[in-house]
């Protein structure tokens, strides 16, 4: 230990002499814990509560010393937060009210220090880190090889390297260079890391985690470029070129034959294109022109050169018009700038170039455009365009640094450390092993994963419903810990792109658009998105908070140092954040909310840029997907509530709102924007107070501010509330109503109230025509009781919780009870939509009301829902969308609950001892099982029977499928009937109104068609394959019903069109042959996915 300590002290001294702040061995300056890691009372940090500080005030020690007892800073610079208990805990005594956590496994001090050394190499929050990056890497490599800890703690340190490769996107080249230097002295450790990296690559691919797979493959490419990993396998095994060849084979089977790629092919192209900037030198060095030209040809199919493509094979983004997750429903003229005059690696070449005729595109197109330009440029200039002097600084290709070239030219070590090698240089060792590391992977495994159906469902346009129905308990994917991240499928790896800023937004915006090359712009966006994902704060199961928003924002700010000082990356950052909101579905809106608030507090440049971006998005609302601008309204309302409602566009929007309401000419165009302002002002009012809102918005929007809805004021049919707060029964059910309200006032037990309701009542006999009157009276009585005793929402929820059992019994007493209950709530609370929404949500969460009943009530044919809460009013009343949305969410909750019941039962059955004659099959693990050797049990005769689950669980799964089918059928039938015959452009006939946008126009649109099209997209995406996943895949022993959900919709739509007098399509006509316009396109798209 003495030599090791002196070595660590020596490294601390080296860094300290250079005057660097982050002298890793010295604990971030001497005053934070001494000159070396092991000196000083607080260890790494005496005051700030790091996990490593076993003796400091924020302690995490065996005696539970420290103010709050058990704290855990977890590499956070925040002040430690106690979990409870204010005693100092002296003499080993723990406070009585302190919550114990599971036992903590102590990490060896050497591993803790090495963690700080490795992670600290890429800690670019310190501006001095980048300036001495190559020197730091060389010194850390020497230190790791000198002390021998790589052999002692090989497992822990190799796991650290793999985790860095998978999550630290910016630091990947630096970590790869460090490992490459280490491999020159310790082949065994480097081989271990590469083996684990390949294993993690396959695991992330199986989990559909494309971003982690991309990062790991990038790490492998950086290792090959720095000379640690073999490109061609050295004639003895697999090299990086074999993996690239395998990926090219997957892509080449489709990209040259069709305009529509499978999900596996799209992911393959994304992986290949993302890797190109980091392996272009290795490709040139190994003379792999064949692979390079194949990759360039593949990328050119997605991002073709100008006028060099067949229009019939033109690839389009899923976010573009007509895509599965389209953000715009119509083409917008004037938003697409001309293509760049030169390649994307050259600055001032218009980095905002986009695909021809595209309104919006995505990150796949951008990385393909960059990759094609790089490969073409390198081929034409014989590598001069990407040499050490011209390579962009932002790529951080540190292995090209002059001070590292001598070490990196050596071969990988031939022997393990400890073998006598006196007088023999490492690179002169006998050639018993290849001079570069060989990859222990079968390339065909990647092909198998990429072409599998399960991968397409996880990484493609699969619906949230299917993911809910097919996700087993205990998922081991890295993204599972990010509970707020709602992105699934395409949205998790393919990010939306369109230009929010243009030259009209000021000099800084123009500079931001022209200073950076497309390569630099794409790299900046990639860094921002990666930091947002992998540095998102989260809470472990034991309650430990890891990370902070402040730390995340510091890493976002550190990206600036890799780009020109006048690049104004705040425009790129704000655009990246806002496009995460506008993307369909939105990506982690909660995190975006917290980050933008923190950025506005830290940087004065951010607020005006954010305001300009939202103002530009507001102008696009008439053509936007309703889900996109509603998400923007939700985001902006919370942001304004946290910034004192300060907003520079209140007056302008107020004037426009008045124009929309008063002018018939703009009424059609302005409906979507009017609904947006209604939603925004309403949300802000509910988050603050009406009086504050009146002062903030000014005269133009004063009329939009809703009245105070914080107090219940139900309009009941069978009860009357007097001015002095007395509730009495009225009408035909007066006697029963008085009995109910009296028992509620006396807080009678739920059992006694239920028994009384089931009895006979004066004036009500068996011939009473109102079916379900008991349910009606009880629900109205609860609403009135809540209104006369304070009228607070919490009081109302308390009453519902208390009398949940009688409500559930009555809602199951007869057919149509759910619809009756929904009708009561809409009738009583339609004038207080916010409270109606909360009440419906509470009842659905408690299984008193089924979500499908709410949708059925809102889609009744020939009925007028109270308060305009009918699906036909979706473009006029902002609450219609909200109520349908919450009903779909609760329906998926039922699906998840049923599936979790089944999975838990299956896991319990599998964990039981295996009967005699059973065998274990390696590699056939149950879905979601931890990779700890568990595998599914298979009968000895090879029949591989499914686990039998209790009948009630299968019944619950079948019930969830039936409820999903009912809701799906009601919504899709209604929307398709209303959209039947609509023209494909969604343009109002005879309209000449236009909205200018960057010298272009947005044609006047019908907001009703836009809203219905958006909702149809959302319903089909949410419930896509839900029934198949539940009934076919999970409900073992339950056969598919004779009429599936899609078949039921087809039959209902055709019947509805005949009833409305539409031309009879004839027997056997498919629904897709009857529909027209966007309805046909959307329905046909999801039909093909099935």
């Amino acid at each position: 230990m003495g030599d090791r300590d002196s070595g660590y002290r020596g490294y601390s001294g080296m860094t300290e002499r250079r005057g660097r702040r982050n002298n890793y061995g010295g604990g971030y300056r001497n005053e934070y814990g001494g000159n070396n890691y092991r000196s000083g009372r607080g260890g790494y940090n005496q005051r700030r509560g790091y996990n490593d500080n076993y003796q400091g005030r924020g302690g995490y020690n065996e005696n539970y010393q420290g103010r709050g007892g058990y704290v855990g800073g977890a590499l956070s610079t925040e002040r430690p937060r106690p979990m409870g208990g204010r005693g100092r805990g002296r003499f080993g005594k723990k406070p009585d009210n302190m919550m114990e956590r599971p036992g903590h496994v102590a990490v060896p001090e050497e591993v803790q220090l090495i963690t700080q050394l490795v992670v600290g190499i890429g800690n670019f929050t310190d501006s001095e880190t980048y300036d001495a990056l190559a020197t730091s890497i060389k010194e850390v490599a020497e230190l790791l090889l000198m002390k021998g800890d790589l052999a002692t703690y090989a497992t822990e340190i190799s796991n650290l390297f793999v985790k860095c490769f998978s999550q630290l996107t910016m630091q990947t080249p630096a970590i790869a260079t460090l490992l490459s230097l280490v491999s020159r002295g310790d082949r065994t450790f480097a081989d271990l890391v590469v083996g684990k990296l390949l294993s993690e690559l396959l695991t992330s691919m199986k989990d559909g985690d494309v971003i982690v797979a991309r990062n790991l493959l990038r790490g492998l490419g950086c290792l090959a470029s720095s000379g640690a990993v073999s490109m061609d396998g050295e004639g003895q095994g697999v090299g990086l070129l074999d993996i690239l060849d395998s990926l090219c084979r997957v892509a080449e089977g489709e990209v040259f034959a069709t305009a529509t790629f499978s999900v596996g092919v799209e992911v393959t192209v994304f992986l290949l294109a993302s890797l190109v900037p980091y392996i272009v030198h290795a490709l040139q060095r190994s003379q792999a022109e064949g692979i390079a030209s194949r990759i360039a040809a593949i990328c050119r199919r997605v991002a073709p050169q100008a006028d060099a493509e067949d229009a019939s094979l033109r690839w389009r983004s899923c976010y573009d018009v007509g895509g599965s997750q389209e953000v715009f429903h119509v083409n917008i003229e004037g938003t697409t700038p001309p293509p760049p005059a030169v390649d994307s690696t050259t600055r001032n070449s218009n980095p905002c170039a986009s695909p021809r005729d595209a309104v919006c595109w995505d990150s796949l197109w951008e990385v393909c455009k960059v990759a094609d330009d790089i490969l073409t440029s390198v081929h034409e200039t014989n590598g001069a365009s990407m040499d050490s002097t011209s390579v962009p600084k932002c790529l951080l290709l540190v292995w090209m640094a002059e001070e590292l070239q001598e070490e990196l030219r050596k071969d990988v070590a031939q022997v393990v450390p400890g073998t006598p090698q006196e007088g023999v240089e490492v690179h002169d060792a006998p050639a018993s092993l290849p001079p570069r590391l060989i990859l222990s992977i079968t390339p065909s495994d990647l092909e198998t994963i990429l072409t599998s159906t399960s991968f397409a469902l996880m990484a493609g346009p699969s619906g949230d419903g299917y993911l809910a129905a097919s996700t087993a308990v205990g998922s081991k994917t890295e993204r599972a810990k990010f509970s707020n991240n709602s992105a699934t499928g395409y949205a998790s790896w393919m990010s939306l792109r369109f230009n929010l800023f243009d030259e009209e937004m000021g000099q800084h915006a123009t500079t931001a658009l022209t200073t950076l090359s497309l390569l630099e712009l794409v790299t900046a966006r990639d860094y921002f998105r990666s930091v947002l994902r992998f540095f998102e704060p989260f809470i472990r199961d034991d309650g430990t908070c890891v990370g902070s928003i402040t730390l995340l924002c510091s890493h976002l700010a550190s990206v600036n140092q890799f780009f020109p000082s006048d690049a104004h990356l705040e425009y790129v950052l704000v655009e990246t954040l806002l496009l995460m909101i506008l993307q369909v579905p939105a990506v982690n809106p909660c995190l975006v909310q917290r980050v933008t608030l923190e950025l506005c507090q830290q940087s004065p440049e951010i607020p005006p840029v954010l305001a300009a971006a939202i103002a530009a998005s507001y102008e696009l609302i008439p053509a936007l997907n309703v889900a996109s601008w509603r998400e923007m309204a939700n985001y902006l309302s919370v942001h304004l509530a946290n910034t004192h409602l300060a907003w520079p566009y209140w007056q302008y929007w107020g004037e426009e709102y008045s124009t929309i309401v008063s002018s018939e000419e703009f009424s059609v165009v302005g409906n979507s924007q009017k609904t947006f302002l209604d939603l925004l002002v309403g949300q802000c009012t509910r988050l603050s107070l009406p009086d504050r809102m009146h002062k903030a918005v000014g005269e133009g929007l004063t009329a939009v501010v809703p009245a105070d809805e914080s107090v219940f004021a139900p309009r009941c049919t069978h009860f009357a509330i007097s001015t002095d707060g007395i509730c009495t029964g009225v009408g035909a059910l007066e006697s029963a109503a008085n009995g109910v309200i009296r028992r509620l006032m006396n807080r009678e037990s739920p059992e006694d109230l239920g028994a009384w309701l089931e009895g006979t009542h004066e004036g009500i006999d068996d011939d009473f025509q109102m079916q379900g009157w008991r349910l009606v009276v009880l629900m109205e009585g609860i609403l009135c009781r809540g209104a006369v005793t304070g009228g607070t929402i919490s009081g109302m929820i308390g009453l519902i919780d208390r009398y949940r059992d009688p409500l559930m019994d009555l809602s199951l007493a007869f057919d149509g009870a759910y619809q009756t209950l929904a009708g009561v709530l809409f009738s009583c609370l339609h004038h207080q939509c916010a409270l109606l929404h909360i009440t419906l949500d509470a009842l659905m969460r408690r299984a008193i009301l089924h979500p499908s009943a709410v949708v059925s009530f809102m889609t009744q044919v020939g009925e007028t829902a109270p308060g305009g809460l009918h699906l036909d009013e979706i473009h006029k009343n902002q609450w219609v969308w909200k109520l349908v949305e919450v009903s779909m969410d609760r329906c998926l909750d039922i699906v998840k609950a049923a599936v979790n019941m089944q999975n838990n039962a299956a896991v319990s059955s599998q964990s039981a001892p295996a009967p005699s004659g059973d065998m274990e099959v390696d590699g056939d693990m149950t879905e979601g099982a931890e990779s700890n050797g568990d595998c599914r049990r298979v009968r000895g005769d090879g029949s591989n029977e499914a686990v039998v689950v209790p009948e009630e669980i299968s019944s619950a799964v079948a019930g969830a499928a039936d409820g999903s089918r009912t809701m799906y059928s009601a919504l899709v039938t209604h929307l398709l009937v209303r959209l039947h015959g609509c023209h494909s452009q969604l343009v109002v006939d005879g309209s000449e109104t236009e909205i200018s946008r960057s010298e272009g126009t947005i044609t006047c649109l019908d907001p009703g068609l836009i809203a219905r099209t958006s909702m149809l997209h959302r319903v089909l995406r949410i419930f896509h394959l839900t029934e198949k996943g539940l009934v076919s895949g999970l409900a073992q022993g339950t056969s598919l019903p004779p009429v599936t959900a899609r078949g039921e919709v087809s039959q209902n739509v055709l019947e509805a069109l005949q009833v409305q007098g539409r031309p009879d399509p004839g027997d056997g006509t498919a629904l897709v042959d009857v529909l027209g316009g966007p309805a046909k396109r959307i329905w046909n798209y999801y039909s093909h996915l099935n």
Side-chain angles (χ1 to χ4, degrees), residues 374-433:
I374 288 177
L375 292 173
T376 302
S377 176
V378 170
H379 175 72
E380 293 176 351
T381 62
N382 196 24
S385 62
M386 288 290 284
D387 59 19
S388 58
T389 60
S390 60
V391 65
K393 176 183 177 181
C394 61
L395 292 178
L396 298 174
L397 305 186
V398 66
W399 60 78
M400 300 182 70
E402 192 65 33
E403 53 264 50
L404 299 179
Q405 291 304 302
E406 181 179 355
E407 291 296 324
L408 292 176
R409 277 194 289 266
K410 299 177 182 178
D411 291 340
V412 175
Q414 294 290 304
V415 291
V416 299
T419 303
Q421 304 181 68
E422 289 79 10
V424 180
E425 295 291 336
V426 174
H427 58 280
D428 292 333
S432 58
L433 293 172

Side-chain angles (χ1 to χ4, degrees), residues 62-366:
E62 53 194 351
N63 295 322
Y64 300 93
Q65 288 177 240
R67 278 239 164 157
Y70 220 115
V71 224
L75 295 179
S76 171
T77 57
E78 293 182 346
R79 196 175 179 83
R81 295 184 291 275
M83 290 291 293
R86 293 192 55 81
R88 299 186 69 86
R90 294 184 178 178
F91 307 107
K93 182 179 179 181
K94 295 177 287 187
D96 296 335
N97 63 338
M98 189 184 71
M99 180 179 66
E100 287 197 56
R101 294 175 179 157
H104 174 69
V105 179
V107 179
E109 294 183 5
E110 292 80 1
V111 176
Q112 294 172 12
L113 176 58
I114 291 173
T115 299
Q116 300 302 325
L117 292 176
V118 174
V119 176
I121 285 177
N123 180 21
F124 298 118
T125 56
D126 182 358
S127 59
E128 298 178 5
T129 301
Y130 178 80
D131 298 332
L133 184 58
T135 304
S136 297
I137 291 174
K138 186 175 181 180
E139 291 175 352
V140 172
E142 293 172 352
L143 184 63
L144 294 177
L145 291 172
M146 177 173 51
K147 296 295 100 186
D149 287 332
L150 297 181
T152 307
Y153 304 105
T155 300
E156 294 87 348
I157 301 174
S158 61
N159 290 340
L160 168 66
F161 271 87
V162 174
K163 188 172 184 180
C164 290
F165 279 127
S166 65
Q167 296 185 9
L168 300 181
T169 306
M170 282 190 296
Q171 294 85 343
T172 295
I175 302 298
T177 305
L178 172 63
L179 183 60
S180 184
L181 290 175
V182 169
S183 70
R184 270 59 179 181
D186 190 341
R187 184 191 189 99
T188 302
F189 176 78
D191 209 10
L192 175 63
V193 173
V194 172
K196 288 186 176 183
L197 188 151
L198 292 171
S199 176
E200 190 65 22
L201 172 63
L202 292 175
T203 300
S204 61
M205 294 291 286
K206 292 176 182 177
D207 293 337
D209 200 336
V210 179
I211 294 300
V212 170
R214 191 258 338 245
N215 289 351
L216 293 169
L217 192 61
R218 180 179 294 176
L220 199 63
C222 292
L223 288 171
S225 294
S226 58
V229 168
S230 171
M231 287 293 292
D232 57 7
E234 311 293 338
Q236 301 184 31
V238 176
L240 181 62
L241 292 179
D242 297 300
I243 294 180
L244 297 179
D245 176 69
S246 180
L247 294 176
C248 287
R249 286 200 304 270
V250 173
E252 289 167 341
E254 287 187 18
V255 295
F256 301 113
T258 178
T260 305
F261 305 159
S262 65
V263 175
V265 170
E266 289 179 326
V267 172
T268 302
V269 176
F270 179 76
L271 295 176
L272 286 170
S274 301
L275 189 59
V276 165
Y278 301 89
I279 64 169
V280 62
H281 302 96
L283 290 175
Q284 186 183 25
R285 187 175 62 241
S286 58
Q287 298 181 348
E289 292 85 359
I291 289 290
S293 61
R294 291 168 68 187
I295 296 175
I298 291 170
C299 293
R300 204 170 294 133
R301 275 289 295 114
V302 175
Q305 296 176 352
D307 301 323
E309 64 171 325
D310 182 357
S312 63
L313 297 179
R314 184 176 301 166
W315 177 87
R316 299 192 75 92
S317 169
C318 66
Y319 301 119
D320 200 9
V321 176
S324 61
Q325 296 168 206
E326 60 182 352
V327 175
F328 291 92
H329 290 302
V330 67
N331 289 318
I332 304 173
E333 301 176 4
T335 58
T336 303
V342 291
D343 65 87
S344 59
T345 61
T346 305
R347 289 179 181 166
N348 302 317
S349 61
N350 189 8
C352 297
S354 63
R356 188 164 66 250
D357 301 330
V359 180
C360 56
W361 54 101
D362 53 45
S363 53
L364 175 59
W365 183 90
E366 289 191 330

Side-chain angles (χ1 to χ4, degrees), residues 440-461:
S440 57
I441 187 175
T442 304
S444 59
D445 291 345
L446 288 174
E447 298 183 45
T448 302
I449 296 173
L450 288 167
T451 56
S452 65
T453 303
S454 59
F455 180 81
L457 291 171
M458 289 185 290

